[in-house]
Amino acid sequence: MRNLILTATGKKGYGKTTLLAQLVAPCRRAIFADPEGKWPARPGDVEVRRAVELLDYLADIGAADPAVPFGVVYRDDADVMKAAAPALAFGVRNLTLVVDELAWLCTPWELPIYLRRLLQFGRERRVNLVGTTREP
């Protein structure tokens, strides 16, 4: 994938997560933001449960270098995740951010600042944004 914004919309149980898991399987650099705790981790993915753990892990592996592959499943409180996941994706660059259930992070009336930044400038930062939602 390259500079992509993609959402899968549908009712609970329609296979949105399964479809996106198949689409993003080949991604070399990915953060999977999973507030519901249902994203299927790939072999080799690291799971973190706090924003500071995610930040520390990305710094430890040198994720700012686009040649460094990684997969991180990030499971945290949705209120923390709505700021942390898009902000780290925006800062690290050259990756795919997968948000499994966007409704946990935003509403039709509220779009967190760094999620807005990814929609505006993600292409320049080479960030793919992929998500599921039950409601468009």
Side-chain angles (χ1 to χ4, degrees):
M1 281 188 266
R2 190 169 167 179
N3 307 115
L4 173 75
I5 297 173
L6 174 72
T7 59
T9 304
K11 294 181 181 179
K12 184 176 180 177
Y14 274 36
K16 301 177 301 289
T17 299
T18 303
L19 173 65
L20 290 187
Q22 292 170 350
L23 287 173
V24 300
C27 293
R28 294 178 47 255
R29 297 168 50 88
I31 297 173
F32 304 99
D34 181 22
E36 292 183 319
K38 64 181 183 179
W39 184 265
R42 306 174 301 180
D45 285 352
V46 172
E47 183 177 328
V48 298
R49 296 204 171 263
R50 294 182 27 223
V52 69
E53 291 175 26
L54 178 57
L55 180 61
D56 289 345
Y57 175 74
L58 294 172
D60 288 348
I61 64 167
D65 178 353
V68 174
F70 61 85
V72 183
V73 178
Y74 172 41
R75 306 181 201 276
D76 200 346
D77 178 73
D79 287 333
V80 175
M81 190 177 288
K82 76 170 64 174
L88 287 169
F90 190 81
V92 171
R93 301 173 164 213
N94 300 298
L95 60 85
T96 297
L97 173 62
V98 179
V99 180
D100 197 16
E101 197 48 61
L102 285 160
W104 282 92
L105 305 189
C106 61
T107 69
W109 307 275
E110 177 200 7
L111 193 60
I113 187 72
Y114 276 100
L115 194 52
R116 187 176 324 133
R117 294 284 187 268
L118 285 177
L119 291 170
Q120 291 173 319
F121 307 113
R123 183 175 182 173
E124 295 169 9
R125 299 179 93 66
R126 303 187 76 129
V127 175
N128 299 307
L129 178 60
V130 178
T132 65
T133 185
R134 291 184 192 120
E135 298 179 21

